[in-house]
Coordinates of all heavy atoms in Angstrom, one line a residue:
M1 N 160.4 77.3 125.0 CA 159.9 76.3 125.9 C 158.6 76.8 126.5 O 158.5 77.9 127.1 CB 161.0 76.1 127.0 CG 160.6 75.1 128.0 SD 161.9 74.8 129.2 CE 163.0 73.7 128.3
T2 N 157.6 76.0 126.5 CA 156.3 76.3 127.1 C 156.3 76.0 128.6 O 157.2 75.2 129.0 CB 155.2 75.6 126.4 OG1 155.3 74.2 126.7 CG2 155.2 75.8 124.9
D3 N 155.4 76.5 129.3 CA 155.3 76.2 130.7 C 155.0 74.7 130.9 O 155.5 74.1 131.9 CB 154.1 77.0 131.3 CG 154.5 78.5 131.6 OD1 155.7 78.7 131.6 OD2 153.6 79.3 131.8
K4 N 154.3 74.1 130.0 CA 154.0 72.7 130.1 C 155.3 71.9 130.1 O 155.5 70.9 130.8 CB 153.1 72.2 129.0 CG 152.7 70.8 129.1 CD 151.7 70.4 128.0 CE 151.3 68.9 128.2 NZ 150.5 68.5 127.1
N5 N 156.2 72.3 129.2 CA 157.5 71.6 129.1 C 158.4 71.8 130.3 O 159.3 71.1 130.5 CB 158.2 72.0 127.8 CG 157.5 71.5 126.6 OD1 156.7 70.6 126.6 ND2 157.8 72.2 125.5
R6 N 158.2 72.9 131.0 CA 159.0 73.2 132.2 C 158.6 72.5 133.5 O 159.3 72.5 134.4 CB 159.0 74.7 132.4 CG 159.6 75.4 131.2 CD 159.6 76.9 131.4 NE 160.6 77.2 132.4 CZ 160.7 78.4 133.0 NH1 159.9 79.4 132.6 NH2 161.5 78.6 133.9
T7 N 157.4 71.9 133.5 CA 156.9 71.2 134.7 C 157.5 69.8 134.7 O 157.4 69.0 133.8 CB 155.4 71.1 134.7 OG1 154.9 72.4 134.6 CG2 154.9 70.5 135.9
L8 N 158.2 69.5 135.8 CA 158.9 68.2 136.0 C 157.9 67.2 136.6 O 157.3 67.5 137.6 CB 160.1 68.3 136.9 CG 161.3 69.1 136.5 CD1 162.3 69.2 137.6 CD2 161.9 68.5 135.3
P9 N 157.9 66.0 136.0 CA 157.1 65.0 136.7 C 157.9 64.6 137.9 O 159.1 64.8 138.0 CB 157.1 63.8 135.7 CG 158.2 64.1 134.7 CD 158.4 65.6 134.8
P10 N 157.3 64.0 138.9 CA 158.0 63.6 140.2 C 159.3 62.9 140.0 O 160.3 63.2 140.6 CB 157.0 62.8 141.0 CG 155.7 63.3 140.4 CD 155.9 63.6 139.0
E11 N 159.3 61.9 139.1 CA 160.5 61.1 138.9 C 161.7 62.0 138.3 O 162.8 61.7 138.5 CB 160.3 59.9 138.0 CG 159.8 60.1 136.6 CD 158.3 60.4 136.5 OE1 157.6 60.5 137.5 OE2 157.9 60.5 135.3
A12 N 161.3 63.0 137.5 CA 162.4 63.9 137.0 C 163.0 64.7 138.0 O 164.2 65.1 137.9 CB 161.8 64.7 135.9
L13 N 162.2 65.1 139.1 CA 162.8 65.9 140.2 C 163.9 65.1 140.8 O 165.0 65.6 141.1 CB 161.7 66.2 141.2 CG 162.2 67.1 142.4 CD1 162.8 68.3 141.9 CD2 161.0 67.3 143.3
E14 N 163.7 63.8 141.0 CA 164.8 63.0 141.6 C 166.0 62.9 140.7 O 167.1 63.0 141.1 CB 164.3 61.6 141.9 CG 165.3 60.7 142.6 CD 165.9 61.2 143.9 OE1 165.2 61.9 144.7 OE2 167.1 61.0 144.1
D15 N 165.7 62.8 139.4 CA 166.9 62.8 138.4 C 167.6 64.1 138.5 O 168.9 64.1 138.5 CB 166.3 62.6 137.0 CG 165.8 61.2 136.8 OD1 166.1 60.3 137.6 OD2 165.1 61.0 135.8
W16 N 166.9 65.2 138.6 CA 167.5 66.5 138.7 C 168.3 66.6 140.0 O 169.5 67.1 140.0 CB 166.5 67.6 138.6 CG 167.0 69.0 138.8 CD1 166.7 69.9 139.8 CD2 168.0 69.7 138.0 NE1 167.3 71.1 139.6 CE2 168.2 71.0 138.5 CE3 168.7 69.3 136.9 CZ2 169.0 71.9 138.0 CZ3 169.6 70.3 136.3 CH2 169.7 71.5 136.8
A17 N 167.8 66.1 141.1 CA 168.5 66.1 142.4 C 169.8 65.3 142.3 O 170.8 65.7 142.8 CB 167.6 65.6 143.5
V18 N 169.7 64.2 141.7 CA 170.9 63.4 141.5 C 172.0 64.1 140.7 O 173.2 64.1 141.0 CB 170.6 62.0 140.8 CG1 171.8 61.3 140.4 CG2 169.8 61.1 141.8
A19 N 171.5 64.8 139.6 CA 172.5 65.6 138.8 C 173.1 66.7 139.6 O 174.3 66.9 139.5 CB 171.8 66.1 137.6
L20 N 172.3 67.4 140.4 CA 172.9 68.4 141.3 C 173.9 67.9 142.3 O 174.9 68.4 142.5 CB 171.8 69.2 142.0 CG 170.9 70.1 141.1 CD1 169.7 70.5 141.9 CD2 171.7 71.2 140.6
R21 N 173.5 66.7 142.9 CA 174.4 66.1 143.9 C 175.7 65.7 143.3 O 176.8 65.9 143.8 CB 173.7 64.9 144.6 CG 172.6 65.4 145.5 CD 172.1 64.3 146.4 NE 171.6 63.1 145.7 CZ 170.4 62.7 145.5 NH1 169.4 63.5 146.0 NH2 170.1 61.6 144.9
E22 N 175.6 65.1 142.1 CA 176.8 64.7 141.4 C 177.7 65.9 141.0 O 178.9 65.9 141.2 CB 176.5 63.9 140.2 CG 176.0 62.5 140.5 CD 175.5 61.7 139.3 OE1 175.5 62.3 138.2 OE2 175.1 60.6 139.5
R23 N 177.1 66.9 140.5 CA 177.8 68.1 140.0 C 178.5 68.8 141.1 O 179.6 69.3 141.0 CB 176.8 69.1 139.3 CG 177.4 70.4 139.0 CD 178.5 70.3 137.9 NE 178.9 71.6 137.4 CZ 179.9 72.3 138.0 NH1 180.4 71.9 139.1 NH2 180.2 73.5 137.5
F24 N 177.9 68.9 142.3 CA 178.4 69.6 143.4 C 178.9 68.8 144.6 O 179.2 69.3 145.7 CB 177.4 70.6 143.9 CG 177.0 71.6 142.9 CD1 175.8 71.6 142.2 CD2 177.9 72.6 142.5 CE1 175.4 72.5 141.3 CE2 177.6 73.6 141.5 CZ 176.4 73.5 140.9
D25 N 179.1 67.5 144.3 CA 179.6 66.5 145.3 C 178.8 66.6 146.6 O 179.4 66.8 147.7 CB 181.1 66.7 145.5 CG 181.8 65.6 146.2 OD1 181.3 64.4 146.1 OD2 182.8 65.8 147.0
L26 N 177.5 66.4 146.5 CA 176.7 66.5 147.7 C 176.1 65.1 148.0 O 175.9 64.3 147.1 CB 175.5 67.5 147.5 CG 175.9 68.9 147.2 CD1 174.7 69.7 146.7 CD2 176.5 69.5 148.5
S27 N 175.7 64.9 149.2 CA 175.0 63.6 149.6 C 173.5 63.9 149.5 O 173.1 65.0 149.5 CB 175.4 63.2 151.0 OG 174.8 64.0 152.0
A28 N 172.8 62.8 149.6 CA 171.3 62.9 149.6 C 170.9 63.7 150.8 O 169.9 64.4 150.8 CB 170.7 61.5 149.6
E29 N 171.6 63.5 151.9 CA 171.2 64.2 153.2 C 171.5 65.8 153.0 O 170.8 66.6 153.7 CB 172.0 63.7 154.3 CG 171.5 64.2 155.7 CD 172.3 63.5 156.8 OE1 173.5 63.3 156.8 OE2 171.6 63.1 157.8
D30 N 172.4 66.1 152.2 CA 172.7 67.5 151.9 C 171.6 68.2 151.1 O 171.5 69.5 151.1 CB 174.0 67.7 151.1 CG 175.2 67.3 151.9 OD1 175.2 67.5 153.1 OD2 176.2 66.9 151.2
V31 N 170.7 67.4 150.4 CA 169.7 68.0 149.5 C 168.4 67.4 149.9 O 167.9 66.5 149.3 CB 170.0 67.7 148.1 CG1 169.1 68.4 147.1 CG2 171.5 68.1 147.7
P32 N 167.8 67.9 151.0 CA 166.5 67.3 151.5 C 165.3 67.8 150.7 O 164.7 68.8 151.0 CB 166.4 67.8 152.9 CG 167.2 69.1 152.9 CD 168.3 68.9 151.9
I33 N 165.0 67.0 149.6 CA 164.0 67.5 148.7 C 162.6 67.8 149.4 O 162.0 68.8 149.2 CB 163.8 66.4 147.5 CG1 165.0 66.3 146.7 CG2 162.6 66.8 146.7 CD1 165.0 65.2 145.7
G34 N 162.2 66.8 150.2 CA 160.9 67.0 150.8 C 160.9 68.2 151.7 O 159.9 68.9 151.8
L35 N 161.9 68.4 152.5 CA 162.0 69.5 153.4 C 161.9 70.9 152.6 O 161.2 71.8 153.0 CB 163.3 69.5 154.2 CG 163.5 70.5 155.3 CD1 162.5 70.3 156.4 CD2 164.9 70.5 155.8
I36 N 162.6 70.9 151.5 CA 162.6 72.2 150.7 C 161.3 72.4 150.0 O 160.8 73.5 150.0 CB 163.8 72.2 149.7 CG1 165.1 72.0 150.4 CG2 163.7 73.4 148.8 CD1 165.4 73.1 151.4
L37 N 160.7 71.3 149.6 CA 159.3 71.4 149.0 C 158.3 71.9 150.0 O 157.4 72.7 149.7 CB 158.9 70.1 148.3 CG 159.7 69.8 147.0 CD1 159.3 68.4 146.5 CD2 159.7 70.8 146.0
D38 N 158.4 71.3 151.2 CA 157.5 71.8 152.3 C 157.7 73.2 152.6 O 156.8 74.0 152.8 CB 157.7 70.9 153.5 CG 157.2 69.5 153.4 OD1 156.5 69.2 152.4 OD2 157.5 68.7 154.3
L39 N 159.0 73.7 152.6 CA 159.3 75.1 152.9 C 158.6 75.9 151.8 O 157.9 76.9 152.1 CB 160.8 75.4 152.9 CG 161.2 76.8 153.0 CD1 162.5 76.9 153.8 CD2 161.4 77.5 151.6
A40 N 158.8 75.5 150.5 CA 158.2 76.3 149.4 C 156.7 76.4 149.5 O 156.1 77.4 149.3 CB 158.6 75.7 148.1
R41 N 156.0 75.3 149.9 CA 154.6 75.2 150.1 C 154.1 76.2 151.2 O 153.2 77.0 151.0 CB 154.1 73.8 150.4 CG 152.6 73.7 150.6 CD 152.3 72.4 151.4 NE 152.9 72.5 152.7 CZ 153.5 71.4 153.3 NH1 153.5 70.2 152.7 NH2 154.1 71.5 154.5
D42 N 154.8 76.1 152.3 CA 154.4 76.9 153.5 C 154.6 78.4 153.2 O 153.8 79.2 153.6 CB 155.2 76.5 154.7 CG 154.8 75.1 155.2 OD1 153.8 74.5 154.7 OD2 155.6 74.5 156.0
V43 N 155.7 78.7 152.6 CA 156.0 80.2 152.2 C 155.0 80.6 151.2 O 154.4 81.7 151.3 CB 157.4 80.4 151.8 CG1 157.6 81.8 151.3 CG2 158.4 80.2 153.0
A44 N 154.8 79.8 150.1 CA 153.8 80.2 149.1 C 152.4 80.4 149.7 O 151.7 81.4 149.3 CB 153.8 79.1 148.0
N45 N 152.0 79.6 150.6 CA 150.7 79.7 151.2 C 150.6 80.8 152.3 O 149.6 81.4 152.4 CB 150.2 78.4 151.8 CG 149.9 77.4 150.7 OD1 149.5 77.7 149.6 ND2 150.2 76.1 151.0
G46 N 151.7 81.0 153.0 CA 151.7 81.9 154.1 C 152.1 83.3 153.8 O 151.8 84.3 154.5
V47 N 152.9 83.5 152.7 CA 153.4 84.8 152.4 C 152.9 85.1 150.9 O 152.0 85.9 150.8 CB 155.0 84.8 152.4 CG1 155.5 86.2 152.1 CG2 155.4 84.4 153.8
A48 N 153.6 84.5 149.9 CA 153.2 84.7 148.5 C 154.0 83.7 147.7 O 155.1 83.4 148.1 CB 153.5 86.1 148.1
R49 N 153.4 83.3 146.7 CA 154.0 82.3 145.8 C 155.5 82.7 145.4 O 156.4 81.9 145.5 CB 153.1 81.9 144.6 CG 153.6 80.8 143.8 CD 152.7 80.4 142.8 NE 153.2 79.3 142.0 CZ 152.5 78.4 141.4 NH1 151.2 78.5 141.4 NH2 153.1 77.5 140.7
P50 N 155.6 83.9 144.9 CA 157.0 84.3 144.5 C 158.0 84.3 145.6 O 159.2 84.3 145.4 CB 156.8 85.7 143.9 CG 155.4 85.9 143.6 CD 154.7 85.0 144.6
A51 N 157.6 84.3 146.8 CA 158.5 84.3 148.0 C 159.1 83.0 148.2 O 160.1 82.9 148.9 CB 157.8 84.8 149.3
A52 N 158.5 81.9 147.7 CA 159.0 80.6 147.9 C 160.4 80.3 147.5 O 161.3 79.9 148.3 CB 158.0 79.5 147.3
P53 N 160.8 80.5 146.2 CA 162.2 80.3 145.8 C 163.2 81.2 146.5 O 164.3 80.7 146.8 CB 162.2 80.5 144.3 CG 160.9 81.2 144.0 CD 160.0 80.9 145.1
F54 N 162.8 82.4 146.7 CA 163.7 83.4 147.4 C 163.9 82.9 148.8 O 165.1 82.9 149.3 CB 163.0 84.7 147.3 CG 163.8 85.8 148.1 CD1 165.0 86.2 147.7 CD2 163.2 86.3 149.3 CE1 165.7 87.2 148.5 CE2 163.9 87.2 150.0 CZ 165.2 87.7 149.6
S55 N 162.9 82.4 149.5 CA 163.0 81.9 150.8 C 163.9 80.7 150.9 O 164.6 80.5 151.9 CB 161.6 81.7 151.4 OG 160.9 82.9 151.4
A56 N 163.7 79.8 149.9 CA 164.6 78.6 149.9 C 166.0 79.0 149.7 O 166.9 78.4 150.4 CB 164.1 77.7 148.8
F57 N 166.3 80.0 148.9 CA 167.7 80.5 148.7 C 168.2 81.0 150.0 O 169.3 80.7 150.5 CB 167.7 81.5 147.6 CG 169.1 82.2 147.5 CD1 170.1 81.6 146.8 CD2 169.3 83.4 148.2 CE1 171.3 82.2 146.8 CE2 170.6 84.0 148.1 CZ 171.6 83.4 147.4
V58 N 167.4 81.8 150.7 CA 167.8 82.4 152.0 C 168.1 81.4 153.0 O 169.1 81.4 153.7 CB 166.8 83.5 152.5 CG1 167.1 83.9 153.9 CG2 166.8 84.7 151.6
A59 N 167.2 80.4 153.1 CA 167.4 79.3 154.1 C 168.8 78.6 153.8 O 169.5 78.2 154.7 CB 166.3 78.3 154.0
G60 N 169.1 78.3 152.5 CA 170.3 77.7 152.1 C 171.5 78.6 152.4 O 172.6 78.1 152.9
L61 N 171.4 79.9 152.2 CA 172.4 80.8 152.5 C 172.7 80.8 154.0 O 173.9 80.7 154.4 CB 172.1 82.2 152.0 CG 173.1 83.3 152.3 CD1 174.4 83.0 151.5 CD2 172.5 84.6 151.8
V62 N 171.7 80.9 154.8 CA 171.8 80.9 156.3 C 172.5 79.6 156.7 O 173.4 79.6 157.5 CB 170.5 81.1 157.0 CG1 170.5 80.9 158.4 CG2 170.0 82.5 156.7
A63 N 172.0 78.5 156.2 CA 172.5 77.2 156.7 C 174.0 77.1 156.3 O 174.8 76.6 157.0 CB 171.7 76.0 156.0
G64 N 174.3 77.5 155.1 CA 175.7 77.5 154.6 C 176.6 78.4 155.5 O 177.7 78.0 155.8
R65 N 176.2 79.5 155.8 CA 177.0 80.4 156.7 C 177.2 79.8 158.1 O 178.1 80.2 158.7 CB 176.4 81.8 156.7 CG 176.5 82.5 155.4 CD 176.1 84.0 155.5 NE 176.4 84.7 154.3 CZ 176.0 85.9 154.1 NH1 175.3 86.6 154.9 NH2 176.4 86.5 153.0
Q66 N 176.3 79.0 158.5 CA 176.4 78.4 159.8 C 177.1 77.0 159.8 O 177.3 76.4 160.8 CB 175.0 78.2 160.4 CG 174.3 79.5 160.7 CD 172.9 79.4 161.2 OE1 172.3 78.3 161.1 NE2 172.3 80.5 161.7
G67 N 177.6 76.6 158.6 CA 178.4 75.4 158.5 C 177.8 74.4 157.5 O 178.5 73.6 157.0
G68 N 176.5 74.5 157.2 CA 175.9 73.7 156.2 C 175.6 72.2 156.5 O 175.3 71.4 155.6
S69 N 175.6 71.9 157.8 CA 175.3 70.5 158.2 C 173.8 70.2 158.0 O 173.0 71.2 157.9 CB 175.7 70.2 159.6 OG 174.8 70.8 160.5
P70 N 173.4 69.0 157.9 CA 172.0 68.7 157.8 C 171.2 69.3 158.9 O 170.1 69.8 158.7 CB 172.0 67.1 157.8 CG 173.3 66.7 157.2 CD 174.3 67.8 157.7
D71 N 171.7 69.3 160.1 CA 171.0 69.9 161.2 C 170.9 71.4 161.0 O 169.8 72.0 161.4 CB 171.7 69.6 162.6 CG 171.6 68.2 163.0 OD1 170.6 67.5 162.6 OD2 172.4 67.8 163.9
E72 N 171.9 72.0 160.5 CA 171.8 73.5 160.3 C 170.8 73.8 159.1 O 170.1 74.8 159.1 CB 173.2 74.0 160.0 CG 174.0 74.0 161.3 CD 175.5 74.0 161.1 OE1 176.0 73.6 160.0 OE2 176.2 74.5 162.0
I73 N 170.8 72.9 158.1 CA 169.8 73.1 157.1 C 168.4 73.0 157.6 O 167.5 73.9 157.4 CB 170.0 72.0 156.0 CG1 171.3 72.2 155.2 CG2 168.8 72.0 155.0 CD1 171.7 71.1 154.4
R74 N 168.1 72.0 158.4 CA 166.8 71.8 159.0 C 166.4 73.0 159.9 O 165.3 73.5 159.9 CB 166.7 70.5 159.8 CG 166.6 69.3 158.9 CD 166.3 68.0 159.7 NE 167.4 67.6 160.6 CZ 168.4 66.9 160.2 NH1 168.5 66.5 159.0 NH2 169.3 66.5 161.1
A75 N 167.4 73.5 160.7 CA 167.1 74.7 161.6 C 166.8 75.9 160.8 O 165.9 76.7 161.1 CB 168.3 74.9 162.5
A76 N 167.6 76.2 159.7 CA 167.3 77.3 158.9 C 165.9 77.2 158.2 O 165.2 78.2 158.2 CB 168.4 77.5 157.8
V77 N 165.6 76.1 157.7 CA 164.3 75.9 157.1 C 163.2 76.1 158.1 O 162.2 76.7 157.8 CB 164.2 74.5 156.4 CG1 162.8 74.1 156.0 CG2 165.1 74.4 155.2
A78 N 163.4 75.5 159.3 CA 162.4 75.6 160.3 C 162.2 77.1 160.7 O 161.0 77.6 160.9 CB 162.8 74.9 161.6
A79 N 163.2 77.9 160.7 CA 163.1 79.3 161.1 C 162.3 80.1 160.0 O 161.5 80.9 160.3 CB 164.5 79.9 161.3
V80 N 162.6 79.7 158.7 CA 161.9 80.4 157.6 C 160.4 80.0 157.7 O 159.5 80.9 157.5 CB 162.5 80.0 156.3 CG1 161.6 80.5 155.1 CG2 163.9 80.6 156.1
V81 N 160.1 78.7 157.9 CA 158.7 78.2 157.9 C 158.0 78.9 159.1 O 156.8 79.3 159.0 CB 158.7 76.7 158.0 CG1 157.3 76.2 158.4 CG2 159.1 76.1 156.7
E82 N 158.7 79.0 160.2 CA 158.1 79.7 161.4 C 157.7 81.1 161.1 O 156.6 81.6 161.4 CB 159.0 79.6 162.6 CG 158.5 80.3 163.9 CD 159.4 80.2 165.0 OE1 160.5 79.7 164.9 OE2 159.1 80.9 166.1
L83 N 158.6 81.8 160.5 CA 158.4 83.2 160.1 C 157.2 83.3 159.1 O 156.3 84.2 159.3 CB 159.6 83.9 159.5 CG 159.5 85.3 159.1 CD1 159.2 86.2 160.3 CD2 160.8 85.8 158.5
A84 N 157.2 82.4 158.1 CA 156.1 82.4 157.2 C 154.7 82.1 157.9 O 153.7 82.7 157.5 CB 156.3 81.3 156.1
G85 N 154.8 81.3 158.9 CA 153.5 81.0 159.6 C 153.0 82.1 160.4 O 151.8 82.2 160.7
T86 N 153.8 83.1 160.7 CA 153.3 84.3 161.5 C 153.3 85.5 160.6 O 153.1 86.6 161.0 CB 154.3 84.6 162.7 OG1 155.6 84.9 162.2 CG2 154.3 83.4 163.6
W87 N 153.5 85.3 159.3 CA 153.7 86.5 158.4 C 152.5 87.5 158.4 O 152.7 88.7 158.5 CB 154.0 86.0 157.0 CG 154.2 87.2 156.1 CD1 153.4 87.6 155.0 CD2 155.2 88.2 156.2 NE1 153.9 88.8 154.5 CE2 155.0 89.2 155.2 CE3 156.3 88.4 157.1 CZ2 155.8 90.3 155.0 CZ3 157.1 89.5 157.0 CH2 156.9 90.4 155.9
P88 N 151.3 87.1 158.2 CA 150.2 88.1 158.2 C 150.3 89.0 159.4 O 150.1 90.2 159.3 CB 148.9 87.3 158.1 CG 149.3 86.0 157.5 CD 150.7 85.7 158.0
E89 N 150.5 88.5 160.6 CA 150.6 89.3 161.8 C 151.8 90.2 161.8 O 151.7 91.3 162.2 CB 150.6 88.4 163.1 CG 149.4 87.5 163.3 CD 149.4 86.2 162.5 OE1 150.5 85.6 162.4 OE2 148.3 85.8 162.1
R90 N 152.9 89.6 161.4 CA 154.2 90.4 161.4 C 154.2 91.5 160.4 O 154.8 92.6 160.5 CB 155.4 89.5 161.1 CG 155.8 88.6 162.3 CD 157.0 87.9 162.1 NE 158.2 88.8 161.8 CZ 159.1 89.2 162.7 NH1 159.0 88.7 164.0 NH2 160.1 90.0 162.4
S91 N 153.5 91.3 159.2 CA 153.5 92.3 158.1 C 152.5 93.4 158.3 O 152.5 94.3 157.6 CB 153.3 91.6 156.8 OG 152.0 91.1 156.7
G92 N 151.6 93.2 159.3 CA 150.6 94.2 159.6 C 149.4 94.1 158.7 O 148.6 95.0 158.6
R93 N 149.3 93.0 157.9 CA 148.2 92.8 157.0 C 147.0 92.1 157.7 O 147.1 91.4 158.6 CB 148.6 91.9 155.8 CG 149.5 92.7 154.9 CD 149.7 92.0 153.6 NE 150.9 91.1 153.8 CZ 151.2 90.1 153.1 NH1 150.4 89.7 152.1 NH2 152.3 89.4 153.3

């Protein structure tokens, strides 16, 4: 599979989200695509591109451990984005 074949067009992302929601019995509110994409963008720009998927995983893990409600998802994402926004200062770079 080439990199070109691995890039999803925007409509395919929604199809993938529907498949994930169906597979894991999730609601659309449980899978906030825009919020997660914004987190990935902010971490990629504020920390490093490879930190984006890892950070999204950590935000999901934190939200899940706190109960996994939509509010807890938003709070975990906000905390990661806030940390990414201060990263150069925190890392000493």
Side-chain angles (χ1 to χ4, degrees):
M1 181 178 279
T2 68
D3 284 340
K4 183 178 179 183
N5 293 340
R6 295 180 68 190
T7 302
L8 291 174
E11 62 276 6
L13 181 57
E14 181 58 33
D15 292 343
W16 177 240
V18 168
L20 289 171
R21 289 193 304 258
E22 288 174 356
R23 172 64 174 86
F24 297 107
D25 194 28
L26 300 167
S27 72
E29 192 174 43
D30 292 330
V31 187
I33 295 172
L35 184 69
I36 300 305
L37 292 177
D38 289 348
L39 174 146
R41 177 201 60 220
D42 293 345
V43 171
N45 291 327
V47 180
R49 188 175 179 152
F54 174 68
S55 299
F57 172 83
V58 170
L61 180 63
V62 169
R65 286 186 173 174
Q66 294 175 348
S69 75
D71 286 340
E72 289 157 337
I73 294 167
R74 285 190 292 276
V77 168
V80 171
V81 168
E82 180 182 356
L83 182 60
T86 63
W87 182 245
E89 296 86 33
R90 286 187 60 98
S91 69
R93 288 189 270 159

